[in-house]
Amino acid sequence: MTLGIVTRLARRLAFLAAALVAATTPAFAEVSTEPQLKAAYLINFLKYVEWPETGTTITLCLFGRNSLGPYLAAHEGRQIGGRELRIRKVSSVEQLADCQELFIPDTEATHFAAIMRWVDKQPILTVSDAAMFLREGGTIALVRSDGGLRFDVNAEALDHAGLRASPLMIRLARQVTGAPR
Amino acid sequence: MNQRHRKHSRFAGPLLMSLAMLFATPASADIDPVAMPLDELLKVGIVSAPKFAENPEQIPSIVSILTAEDIRLYGWRTLSDALRTLQGFNVTNNHTYDYVGTRGISKPSDPRPRLQILIDGISINDNILANSPADTSFPLDIALVERIEVIRGPSASIYGGDAMFGVINVVTRSGQSINGAEAGLVLGSGQEKRLRATWGGVVDGKDVLVSYTGSDANGRTLTLHDLNSDGSARDIHHVGAENGEQLFVKVRGSDWSISFIHARRDREAPTGSYGTIPDGRGHVESDTYSHLSATKDWRPNATNTLQQSFYAGSFDYDGKFPYDFLSDGLVTSVDKLRGAWWGIENRLVNTRWSGQRWTFGFEFKANARQDQVNQDIDVNNIGCFGYRVGPCLDNRQHSQQATFMAEDEIQIGSATLLTLGLRHDNLGRLGQFSSPRLGLVHDADGAGLFKLLYGTAFRVPTVFERAYSTPSVMYGNPNLDPEKMRSLELTWEKRLSRQSRLSTTLYHFNITRMIGTDPSGLAVNGAPTNARGLELEYEHQWSNGSRLRTGYSVQHATDDMGTLDNSPRQMVKLNLALPTGITHLMAGSEGQWISARKAYEGTERVAPYLLVNLNLSYAPSGQNWDASLGIYNLFNHSFNDPVAIDNTTALTRWQMPQLGRSFVLRSTLRY
């Protein structure tokens, strides 16, 4: 007897789902989990930023607590703009020499000031998922907004690091702070 | 019987429903962060992730992750097919249920694997047997599994009692990964038929999945030697005959998710277990699970994340055991177990202090119903024949539990992570338990990853172990004490190249008062049990799609009587998938060698066995279908599994012959 109920329930739920599809226009064409999407941004930024020196590799460094590692590892070795992507964990100044991009998770917020001193004037794109990161002199902050993920850019900090972001990237940013465009 | 015929027609409804949904708009495939333009990333919505989705390298014990690709390549039919390929796991079968044992602790037919089984992070263990089925009574169709995360070692400090040997988290596929309608058809030996209709996709930024599976099997013929008093062979039919259904619905938003599971399996047990009439169709054991859960994430500020879950579940077990009593004629002994529970779970993650990640948890669970009834039924009467007018057992209970846990993960330098955890469980009359845990992970770069875990765990006797007693079956023992465990394990993992990984775990644990049965069949606390062992695993993946995983375990689990029953000393596992040379056709083969095991209270020996399975899978690229053929027990090797000591109508049983070669043909069609 419960079988009948379940079958009916299944049918009702299926029609409900179908009705939802028909009745609503999708706000997001695709969905992802938050760490996966953050990892995707970190890699994607590499396509829109120009570094003063170009080598054969491009290195994305992760500072401290490594929560995005598993989502990035699969892309290691891929070509981005003709350069091979490398992923590195870092914890000290000496290790920063090779980094083109540095991700500092919000859990390391107390280290922001110290890290910004290390990377001062070096051509390193610094990214964090803490909203206050730009006030500390960071270049990009990933922020949650309306069920998705957006980013803020500190143009002054970019300039200070000797990096050039593409106009498209600046235009897509939620907020641009610092120097005039 | 006529009911069985009626059941087939139920396949039609869901199939039509999936056809009706063909108009569903397809979204694009998985995110490729390299190829995708930045403006497309802005259009991606976030859906909440199940709570395990963290870095396995930060967990202080060995973690195995089995993926949907493994399931497809090796043709795993059930969760237990997947688990038995892992080092340290020993799965046995008595043709009614599968039993999962780990690290030498796998008492024959013990329904309690001392593992927590979770679906998307929510425990599904029932509140009467504390069982977590891994066979076809597992409430989720294995075709809906994205990955299986197996975290070993005592995790009671996070997941409570029953997480003694670890946690198995089954993560379901996203609706987006299905992206349309999907129909799955499985045909197998013993007239097994399994039909699945699934719809998944993104609806208004929400990830939606709806799936229904109906299954039916007529069973196989098996020869047993313990049904005639002279030990001669007797063929029994319909071994493995079953009928079942599984419904799964899931909706995930950016910071919330809701899921509903309902599954039923009716399994025939013609083997004459518990002394029922052998080779008949009257002995049926049914399991029905229903589970609803809702989870919401809150972010009060940048350093705090609160996850709240509400869950409600029910478990119904119905056993029909037909007996032929010469004096009374045909009598069916009927078991009815009814469990119902609900609870709320709160988990706060705080990252306010630099380099530290605090997790605080509070859980309240109400076991609203923990009822066990047994009665005898014949054509005229209901009662407890020969004993009393009323039922043989009518035990109705309910209970509550409250749990508080705290854990701090402390980053020391960039290479070391220290985990300190403490959990306190208040189980009312059953007592209060504190379970501390200490873990250390050190990343020595070139030298590999070192993990150390010291943990404690407990397990309270279930209501089944405490109260299931009838005038003729004296099993339940209200005076049972909880089991306690202490364990220390050391793991070394080394990535040899980008594609290969080697891991080794050395462990030692002891369990005091482990619950078992005495010679009369009464549940009792046993003597202290000690175990130690070594597990080795090597994994390699090649760029052409080939993959290899091989493991060796040596384990030694003893109590005052020596090595435990069904505790193999050594196990070798091998999984290898290779391209066949024919485009898109892959061959997945697996081998499991299990050394001899003791049975019948240590007095009998069950011979070692080697089980080899082969699965050929064909997945043409760009096509909307795939198919596979699995051959299980390829060499038709005959072997036995130890089972609980049981009296058939003729003899005492302590082992069960396993099935010979079987075939399963699978196909999936996507719209």
Side-chain angles (χ1 to χ4, degrees):
Chain A
M1 255 215 307
T2 55
L3 318 174
I5 294 168
V6 169
T7 314
R8 252 174 310 187
L9 184 66
R11 202 173 292 144
R12 211 170 295 157
L13 283 164
F15 282 124
L16 188 72
L20 274 169
V21 173
T24 58
T25 45
F28 295 105
E30 281 183 71
V31 292
S32 171
T33 63
E34 192 169 342
Q36 236 161 358
L37 191 54
K38 283 177 183 167
Y41 268 105
L42 290 184
I43 292 174
N44 207 267
F45 287 147
L46 297 171
K47 300 199 297 180
Y48 296 90
V49 176
E50 262 179 55
W51 279 264
E53 291 160 36
T54 50
T56 54
T57 59
I58 190 157
T59 306
L60 166 50
C61 297
L62 305 167
F63 180 86
R65 201 185 161 80
N66 171 23
S67 54
L68 300 182
Y71 303 98
L72 293 164
H75 302 290
E76 187 160 16
R78 291 186 66 177
Q79 295 288 317
I80 298 175
R83 300 167 79 178
E84 189 185 311
L85 176 65
R86 294 192 307 175
I87 314 285
R88 294 284 177 272
K89 284 195 273 186
V90 296
S91 57
S92 68
V93 201
E94 303 83 64
Q95 295 168 300
L96 290 171
D98 285 345
C99 304
Q100 273 76 47
E101 183 179 359
L102 175 66
F103 177 70
I104 310 124
D106 60 358
T107 49
E108 307 291 340
T110 50
H111 294 305
F112 282 165
I115 296 165
M116 294 328 292
R117 277 198 301 277
W118 290 354
V119 302
D120 189 41
K121 291 192 179 165
Q122 291 195 60
I124 297 174
L125 184 72
T126 50
V127 185
S128 175
D129 48 0
M132 42 89 77
F133 184 55
L134 300 193
R135 288 203 299 277
E136 302 278 345
T139 52
I140 296 180
L142 294 169
V143 283
R144 272 195 69 152
S145 164
D146 301 328
L149 202 61
R150 306 288 309 266
F151 62 94
D152 295 345
V153 174
N154 181 342
E156 190 184 355
L158 268 174
D159 208 47
H160 191 69
L163 301 175
R164 264 223 329 235
S166 84
L168 176 69
M169 180 167 163
I170 299 292
R171 202 165 64 238
L172 292 173
R174 189 188 68 157
Q175 270 179 34
V176 180
T177 58
R181 302 191 193 184
Chain B
M1 278 314 111
N2 55 359
Q3 204 187 359
R4 185 160 286 276
H5 284 293
R6 209 155 43 79
K7 283 170 185 169
H8 288 289
S9 64
R10 289 200 322 271
F11 288 145
L15 190 67
L16 286 174
M17 124 203 147
S18 73
L19 290 170
M21 293 190 300
L22 289 182
F23 62 88
T25 46
S28 46
D30 265 347
I31 294 173
D32 180 348
V34 178
M36 206 165 180
L38 187 57
D39 53 325
E40 291 291 318
L41 276 180
L42 298 176
K43 294 180 198 153
V44 177
I46 290 175
V47 289
S48 65
K51 76 183 156 200
F52 269 53
E54 272 207 52
N55 190 347
E57 291 191 350
Q58 292 173 338
I59 293 172
S61 62
I62 187 93
V63 179
S64 300
I65 295 180
L66 305 172
T67 63
E69 182 68 357
D70 291 314
I71 295 170
R72 191 183 71 79
L73 285 174
Y74 300 116
W76 295 332
R77 298 157 292 182
T78 56
L79 180 62
S80 46
D81 271 355
L83 296 177
R84 66 189 304 154
T85 68
L86 293 173
Q87 83 279 23
F89 277 79
N90 171 32
V91 177
T92 54
N93 172 287
N94 65 2
H95 300 303
T96 313
Y97 295 101
D98 283 351
Y99 300 92
V100 177
T102 40
R103 294 192 167 168
I105 308 294
S106 39
K107 291 198 168 188
S109 314
D110 186 344
R112 215 170 160 181
R114 296 170 174 83
L115 293 162
Q116 277 279 4
I117 299 199
L118 318 174
I119 294 179
D120 288 333
I122 305 276
S123 169
I124 54 153
N125 292 49
D126 74 70
N127 66 351
I128 295 177
L129 303 162
N131 191 11
S132 18
D135 49 34
T136 49
S137 61
F138 183 66
L140 188 78
D141 189 324
I142 193 145
L144 299 177
V145 174
E146 174 62 40
R147 62 179 193 278
I148 304 165
E149 303 168 331
V150 181
I151 299 175
R152 296 196 187 53
S155 309
S157 73
I158 306 173
Y159 297 98
D162 278 300
M164 287 180 116
F165 291 108
V167 180
I168 296 168
N169 185 33
V170 176
V171 179
T172 58
R173 288 168 69 185
S174 64
Q176 179 173 241
S177 73
I178 290 165
N179 192 17
E182 194 175 279
L185 176 67
V186 177
L187 298 171
S189 300
Q191 293 178 45
E192 181 193 353
K193 299 170 284 291
R194 183 173 290 269
L195 188 59
R196 172 176 61 89
T198 305
W199 184 85
V202 179
V203 182
D204 198 16
K206 291 157 196 78
D207 189 84
V208 180
L209 188 144
V210 183
S211 185
Y212 178 86
T213 304
S215 61
D216 192 80
N218 205 29
R220 311 273 302 274
T221 299
L222 186 75
T223 306
L224 296 182
H225 288 87
D226 51 17
L227 292 171
N228 296 331
S229 47
D230 60 355
S232 59
R234 179 168 172 191
D235 279 354
I236 52 163
H237 307 84
H238 304 294
V239 172
E242 62 178 41
N243 179 281
E245 60 182 350
Q246 294 160 317
L247 170 70
F248 181 59
V249 180
K250 174 175 80 163
V251 183
R252 287 201 290 169
S254 70
D255 53 5
W256 55 271
S257 69
I258 295 173
S259 67
F260 177 69
I261 291 175
H262 177 87
R264 170 193 60 84
R265 185 190 76 160
D266 303 335
R267 178 87 166 191
E268 292 183 30
T271 53
S273 63
Y274 308 114
T276 58
I277 302 167
D279 198 19
R281 306 204 70 171
H283 181 162
V284 178
E285 300 189 38
S286 306
D287 296 271
T288 307
Y289 291 85
S290 300
H291 209 278
L292 175 75
S293 64
T295 300
K296 165 93 177 142
D297 291 334
W298 309 89
R299 278 166 189 268
N301 53 49
T303 53
N304 286 296
T305 316
L306 174 67
Q307 184 175 69
Q308 291 190 303
S309 303
F310 168 82
Y311 58 84
S314 73
F315 165 65
D316 294 355
Y317 167 85
D318 290 280
K320 294 192 186 75
F321 306 90
Y323 294 95
D324 187 358
F325 294 120
L326 292 176
S327 50
D328 303 312
L330 292 174
V331 173
T332 303
S333 169
V334 176
D335 265 346
K336 246 184 206 299
L337 311 186
R338 293 288 179 269
W341 61 92
W342 63 269
I344 46 166
E345 205 182 294
N346 300 280
R347 196 160 290 216
L348 179 75
V349 176
N350 177 293
T351 52
R352 199 184 144 193
W353 292 283
S354 163
Q356 294 191 53
R357 185 174 185 264
W358 279 93
T359 307
F360 301 96
F362 174 75
E363 183 175 354
F364 172 81
K365 182 178 177 185
N367 291 302
R369 203 174 175 197
Q370 293 171 297
D371 299 350
Q372 305 180 80
V373 175
N374 173 271
Q375 50 198 0
D376 295 333
I377 297 175
D378 70 8
V379 282
N380 302 313
N381 301 296
I382 296 179
C384 191
F385 301 162
Y387 296 99
R388 58 174 93 116
V389 179
C392 301
L393 167 70
D394 187 355
N395 183 282
R396 288 161 203 265
Q397 299 194 23
H398 55 89
S399 59
Q400 292 179 350
Q401 63 193 69
T403 302
F404 176 77
M405 63 83 64
E407 187 176 75
D408 190 15
E409 293 163 79
I410 306 162
Q411 185 82 42
I412 303 168
S414 67
T416 309
L417 187 73
L418 175 70
T419 305
L420 301 170
L422 181 68
R423 178 173 164 125
H424 186 79
D425 286 88
N426 183 342
L427 299 176
R429 279 175 300 124
L430 295 171
Q432 305 208 17
F433 305 89
S434 289
S435 317
R437 179 169 116 128
L438 188 150
L440 195 65
V441 179
H442 179 74
D443 185 352
D445 252 337
L449 198 62
F450 292 87
K451 296 175 166 185
L452 179 77
L453 176 64
Y454 168 80
T456 60
F458 69 96
R459 183 188 98 128
V460 294
T462 59
V463 293
F464 181 70
E465 288 163 339
R466 280 183 284 123
Y468 187 91
S469 274
T470 67
S472 55
V473 180
M474 300 294 270
Y475 171 74
N477 179 355
N479 300 316
L480 286 175
D481 287 326
E483 295 176 358
K484 286 193 176 166
M485 179 198 196
R486 281 185 334 163
S487 148
L488 183 68
E489 61 183 272
L490 178 68
T491 301
W492 175 65
E493 286 179 56
K494 171 118 176 82
R495 215 162 253 292
L496 300 174
S497 69
R498 204 173 290 159
Q499 295 85 17
S500 60
R501 190 180 75 120
L502 180 70
S503 67
T504 314
T505 300
L506 204 60
Y507 63 83
H508 176 91
F509 63 82
N510 62 61
I511 301 175
T512 53
R513 313 189 142 261
M514 189 156 79
I515 296 167
T517 48
D518 73 1
S520 74
L522 182 74
V524 288
N525 289 109
T529 300
N530 272 288
R532 56 181 194 273
L534 171 79
E535 293 167 351
L536 263 171
E537 192 174 71
Y538 175 74
E539 257 183 291
H540 197 117
Q541 294 198 6
W542 288 268
S543 51
N544 66 352
S546 303
R547 51 177 72 189
L548 165 76
R549 178 161 52 85
T550 183
Y552 169 74
S553 341
V554 55
Q555 52 194 26
H556 192 46
T558 55
D559 63 7
D560 59 337
M561 304 287 286
T563 306
L564 302 180
D565 280 6
N566 191 25
S567 179
R569 193 66 187 264
Q570 298 179 79
M571 295 189 281
V572 180
K573 314 277 173 89
L574 173 83
N575 277 63
L576 177 67
L578 295 168
T580 53
I582 300 167
T583 324
H584 307 308
L585 183 69
M586 292 285 290
S589 65
E590 56 185 25
Q592 292 146 19
W593 181 79
I594 311 293
S595 69
R597 294 163 287 176
K598 285 185 174 180
Y600 203 175
E601 305 278 353
T603 59
E604 295 285 351
R605 176 181 178 272
V606 175
Y609 73 82
L610 173 68
L611 177 68
V612 177
N613 303 329
L614 176 69
N615 186 60
L616 297 168
S617 53
Y618 185 66
S621 65
Q623 298 288 309
N624 63 346
W625 64 280
D626 60 63
S628 72
L629 173 69
I631 310 168
Y632 305 88
N633 196 356
L634 182 66
F635 300 117
N636 205 21
H637 179 62
S638 62
F639 66 100
N640 290 275
D641 271 342
V643 296
I645 300 167
D646 190 11
N647 290 310
T648 68
T649 46
L651 294 168
T652 299
R653 169 179 291 166
W654 43 270
Q655 65 176 346
M656 179 62 77
Q658 297 299 301
L659 291 174
R661 191 181 297 125
S662 330
F663 298 88
V664 172
L665 187 67
R666 275 180 213 86
S667 60
T668 311
L669 195 57
R670 287 174 290 272
Y671 309 101

